[in-house]
Amino acid sequence: MTRWNFAFFDSGVRFDSPDPYPTTMRKLSTFLENPFDDPGISIAELLAFSTDHLQRMIANNPSGELTARITATTSAYQLVADCVSDDETKLALRKARNLAKKNFRQDTLLSGVERVEGGIISAYADSSLVLMEALPNGRSIFGSCRDDQLAIHLNTLHAAVTAHAADLAPAIVTLTNNLQAQWTSILNACMETTGDKTSTQEGKKQARYNLQLMLFLNLNKLGEMFPRQPEKLPLYMQEHLLRDRVSGGDDEEPPVPTTV
């Protein structure tokens, strides 16, 4: 779209002056699209950009015109940062609990079931019927079945040992009770952490979406403050912080202008 030689009062453009920023007509609806919603922007890049942007707004707000935007953006940024920190903490917790589950199944559970089987064999001259009742699928099923099926096999073992508790050594009864209680506790903890993870991911998604909206509103505010002055934008927003970083390197900084 060609600009003709006219200017609005106090627009910053001199009448008949050369246009330093020649433009062409663009689809107007594109100006309502939020560039910060680009899925290519990582959470690390978004936070780096927002941190720098906030400090720049605070440092360049002599008239107080950006105070409301600073407050809103600070709140949105802090919520995202809290979600990221919380998410990382819960991820570590989930990994620890999954490791505990793996170790229990591979070590504690298998050796414990073997001891229970030995206790049954020691208690009965002909233990085949009790073993069939307690371990209908043998010991190996405790190492090969899915997590959601393990409770069924432990319940079967526990029911049989409880039914024959009078004939078994107290240590075997206690061991069986402990195995069942341990697995229930471990599984519930893993399920709880997974649920928290889902909730956190959804919370982080919503928090990030809100921060992206705040950044877009800030961009619009800067456009209102500095119409036809795109050279002002780098004072408040460093666009290069949103681009993919060089692997293994620091963010590429824009060249520093030299002074004579």
Side-chain angles (χ1 to χ4, degrees):
M1 179 174 69
T2 304
R3 290 184 180 175
W4 302 98
N5 291 330
F6 69 89
F8 293 105
F9 177 75
D10 200 28
S11 66
V13 178
R14 295 175 54 188
F15 180 77
D16 248 357
S17 64
D19 190 347
Y21 300 105
T23 59
T24 56
M25 183 63 189
R26 283 177 286 175
K27 190 176 180 181
L28 295 179
S29 62
T30 61
F31 292 97
L32 301 182
E33 296 174 358
N34 187 349
F36 301 101
D37 288 343
D38 185 345
I41 299 174
S42 70
I43 188 67
E45 290 165 344
L46 186 69
L47 289 174
F49 174 87
S50 299
T51 301
D52 179 81
H53 170 53
L54 269 171
Q55 295 305 315
R56 289 174 178 274
M57 284 200 298
I58 293 170
N60 298 282
N61 185 36
S63 65
E65 193 170 357
L66 290 172
T67 300
R69 297 306 320 146
I70 291 171
T71 301
T73 307
T74 299
S75 177
Y77 170 83
Q78 191 58 53
L79 183 59
V80 173
D82 289 345
C83 284
V84 170
S85 175
D86 190 43
D87 184 46
E88 290 174 349
T89 300
K90 288 179 178 176
L91 176 60
L93 181 60
R94 184 174 64 148
K95 287 182 177 180
R97 287 176 172 174
N98 281 334
L99 180 60
K101 179 181 69 174
K102 178 181 178 182
N103 290 341
F104 174 80
R105 292 202 60 172
Q106 291 182 347
D107 301 324
T108 305
L109 178 62
L110 293 181
S111 63
V113 171
E114 184 177 8
R115 286 175 57 195
V116 172
E117 182 185 44
I120 293 174
I121 293 174
S122 298
Y124 297 95
D126 184 4
S127 59
S128 58
L129 291 178
V130 180
L131 284 176
M132 180 62 67
E133 182 183 347
L135 301 168
N137 298 289
R139 291 201 324 262
S140 62
I141 194 65
F142 289 87
S144 60
C145 70
R146 300 196 309 265
D147 288 346
D148 59 346
Q149 294 178 332
L150 181 56
I152 297 175
H153 300 297
L154 278 172
N155 288 341
T156 299
L157 177 64
H158 182 267
V161 169
T162 301
H164 300 278
D167 299 327
L168 298 173
I172 295 301
V173 178
T174 300
L175 175 59
T176 305
N177 291 336
N178 288 342
L179 290 176
Q180 185 184 47
Q182 278 183 274
W183 175 245
T184 300
S185 177
I186 289 173
L187 187 60
N188 287 342
C190 288
M191 292 176 63
E192 178 184 354
T193 306
T194 301
D196 286 344
K197 176 70 175 177
T198 302
S199 176
T200 299
Q201 290 286 21
E202 180 62 26
K204 185 170 76 169
K205 178 181 177 181
Q206 293 301 321
R208 173 175 177 164
Y209 190 74
N210 183 56
L211 176 58
Q212 290 164 185
L213 176 60
M214 294 303 104
L215 294 176
F216 182 49
L217 295 179
N218 293 352
L219 180 61
N220 288 335
K221 179 62 178 179
L222 293 172
E224 175 188 330
M225 293 172 59
F226 305 109
R228 295 179 179 151
Q229 300 177 70
E231 72 278 5
K232 294 286 189 179
L233 188 61
L235 185 63
Y236 296 92
M237 291 184 169
Q238 294 289 292
E239 190 174 345
H240 72 279
L241 293 176
L242 294 173
R243 301 195 186 107
D244 291 337
R245 301 179 179 183
V246 179
S247 178
D250 297 327
D251 288 328
E252 181 183 354
E253 295 291 345
V256 178
T258 58
T259 58
V260 180

